[in-house]
Amino acid sequence: EPEVTQTPSHQVTQMGQEVILRCVPISNHLYFYWYRQILGQKVEFLVSFYNNEISEKSEIFDDQFSVERPDGSNFTLKIRSTKLEDSAMYFCASILGAGTAFSYEQYFGPGTRLTVT
Amino acid sequence: SQKIEQNSEALNIQEGKTATLTCNYTNYSPAYLQWYRQDPGRGPVFLLLIRENEKEKRKERLKVTFDTTLKQSLFHITASQPADSATYLCAFRPTSGTYKYIFGTGTRLKVLA
């Protein structure tokens, strides 16, 4: 069964450093997402991406964040200058986004645990 | 403001019983409502989707209802098993014009053997 993959599984970085989190969505999916989940809290929407551009973003997704789809398979989230409060699980997700309502189900990756020290 | 609320307290039930989890929302007109399962340290896994014009949806031991008047969705697991123990999340697309999803805080279910 196709799945979303994410690398690395765990990233430790120092405050102020740049990090890039990588995702490979399911190959025929059209919409891609990044979410974050601070320990013990809810899954929070960061950004959605369609047709090689951001379609929506949350207030969390400020100028420190950027997303890119550098080739036909990878989807990346960059945090330019990490802060302690960026420590969280980051999930990538994708949806087919076409056809029947059932194509709107989200497939999540296993997540990257980001720890900022 | 827009809110999704799920029971924040854990739900403990005996194996074989039916678990019922609640998701309430305010100030939304959701086009689709979804339920996900999340195990500790893992990504959410899609379970069921129900549309605003559907009252009920079933899949094996799972059932979801959607009451747009009460602004509530109920998620049922019948004949529950210890393997059903997890956190269950509800999620909405706020309107049909967006692909953004809003998640509830989740309810932790523990099925006791």
Side-chain angles (χ1 to χ4, degrees):
Chain A
E1 186 173 321
E3 58 181 16
V4 176
T5 59
Q6 289 185 243
T7 54
S9 56
H10 190 189
Q11 174 88 47
V12 181
T13 189
Q14 288 192 325
M15 196 166 53
Q17 295 297 303
E18 174 183 287
V19 294
I20 297 176
L21 310 183
R22 293 183 166 80
C23 169
V24 179
I26 294 172
S27 62
N28 62 337
H29 283 192
L30 301 177
Y31 289 83
F32 314 116
Y33 298 81
W34 283 102
Y35 291 89
R36 82 172 184 192
Q37 187 174 33
I38 295 170
L39 187 64
Q41 298 187 24
K42 67 178 181 179
V43 175
E44 296 178 289
F45 169 82
L46 291 178
V47 65
S48 61
F49 192 86
Y50 171 71
N51 201 24
N52 285 320
E53 60 183 24
I54 291 173
S55 52
E56 289 178 271
K57 58 183 181 180
S58 73
E59 57 276 6
I60 302 169
F61 194 89
D62 61 21
D63 292 343
Q64 293 300 311
F65 291 87
S66 62
V67 290
E68 200 174 44
R69 190 160 159 83
D71 53 43
S73 59
N74 291 286
F75 180 49
T76 62
L77 174 69
K78 183 194 291 187
I79 309 175
R80 263 180 268 284
S81 178
T82 50
K83 306 192 241 329
L84 293 176
E85 54 265 36
D86 293 327
S87 295
M89 280 288 277
Y90 288 81
F91 294 109
C92 173
S94 67
I95 65 172
L96 179 58
T100 68
F102 296 97
S103 66
Y104 293 111
E105 61 187 77
Q106 294 183 92
Y107 290 81
F108 280 79
T112 293
R113 179 172 299 284
L114 177 65
T115 302
V116 182
T117 61
Chain B
S1 64
Q2 298 171 327
K3 273 189 186 177
I4 300 176
E5 291 181 340
Q6 295 185 253
N7 289 349
S8 56
E9 292 183 17
L11 177 64
N12 293 335
I13 63 165
Q14 283 298 129
E15 182 176 9
K17 301 292 186 186
T18 296
T20 299
L21 285 66
T22 305
C23 181
N24 295 299
Y25 59 93
T26 55
N27 298 325
Y28 280 115
S29 298
Y32 302 105
L33 185 158
Q34 302 179 341
W35 283 88
Y36 290 80
R37 169 184 172 138
Q38 188 176 29
D39 291 287
R42 310 287 291 272
V45 175
F46 173 83
L47 296 174
L48 277 170
L49 176 150
I50 187 167
R51 288 178 283 187
E52 59 186 334
N53 60 352
E54 296 176 322
K55 296 288 186 196
E56 183 179 296
K57 186 66 69 75
R58 291 176 186 262
K59 179 183 174 183
E60 297 172 353
R61 294 184 296 111
L62 309 179
K63 183 177 86 170
V64 171
T65 62
F66 194 6
D67 188 326
T68 55
T69 302
L70 291 179
K71 296 187 180 295
Q72 181 180 80
S73 174
L74 299 179
F75 177 79
H76 307 271
I77 306 175
T78 58
S80 59
Q81 304 164 0
D84 296 325
S85 299
T87 297
Y88 291 86
L89 314 175
C90 65
F92 294 95
R93 288 172 60 200
T95 68
S96 59
T98 177
Y99 288 94
K100 170 181 174 178
Y101 291 83
I102 308 297
F103 279 80
T105 51
T107 298
R108 193 164 71 249
L109 172 68
K110 187 166 183 180
V111 181
L112 306 169

